[in-house]
Amino acid sequence: MSTTQNEKCKGKRFTWSKPMSYMLLEILAEEALKGNKPSSTFRAKSFIKVATKISQKFNVQYEPKHVDNHLKTVKNEWGIITKLKNKSGFGWDDCLKMITISKDVYDEEVKV
């Protein structure tokens, strides 16, 4: 298989930097306040807006489907963080924005 055929099969994977993710969340928060999130998801125009602004600011080519996919990833990661924060022995460091845990609790958790 030639290189171009391999590239077609793999597809393009888009990488999101922290500033891009932060911008995504900032814009979607504004969109929710404007009423562009009538239910559990945002309107298509909100994803278009995010994709356009991120593409312009970071000189990349993102599409609304990339925004939707990344939002699903963020929601999934937040769900994991929330579950861990609520477990006994786990904490949250607001300055570092990360979960804290003692070595003993970690060792017990890893055994499970």
Side-chain angles (χ1 to χ4, degrees):
M1 200 180 268
S2 72
T3 306
T4 53
Q5 287 176 326
N6 278 339
E7 289 172 3
K8 286 181 185 176
C9 292
K10 285 183 181 179
K12 252 188 179 174
R13 180 176 164 102
F14 290 91
T15 305
W16 287 76
S17 66
K18 288 189 188 256
M20 288 176 183
S21 290
Y22 182 78
M23 187 175 187
L24 165 118
L25 295 173
E26 206 171 54
I27 294 169
L28 290 180
E30 291 171 7
E31 290 294 297
L33 290 173
K34 290 178 185 175
N36 291 327
K37 186 180 183 240
S39 60
S40 63
T41 189
F42 288 88
R43 293 195 169 132
K45 70 179 184 176
S46 297
F47 291 141
I48 293 168
K49 184 176 186 176
V50 173
T52 302
K53 287 191 173 193
I54 288 177
S55 294
Q56 290 170 347
K57 180 167 181 168
F58 296 99
N59 197 29
V60 293
Q61 189 55 47
Y62 281 104
E63 296 180 22
K65 68 180 178 181
H66 302 127
V67 174
D68 187 29
N69 287 340
H70 190 63
L71 183 60
K72 288 176 187 173
T73 300
V74 169
K75 284 181 179 181
N76 185 41
E77 289 172 354
W78 185 250
I80 293 168
I81 290 169
T82 301
K83 280 183 189 176
L84 288 175
K85 281 176 35 179
N86 292 331
K87 288 184 99 171
S88 178
F90 287 73
W92 180 257
D93 186 324
D94 205 37
C95 292
L96 296 174
K97 305 292 187 217
M98 63 186 292
I99 292 174
T100 58
I101 184 173
S102 70
K103 182 170 178 9
D104 296 336
V105 174
Y106 174 82
D107 290 342
E108 275 301 310
E109 188 68 27
V110 172
K111 283 182 187 177
V112 175

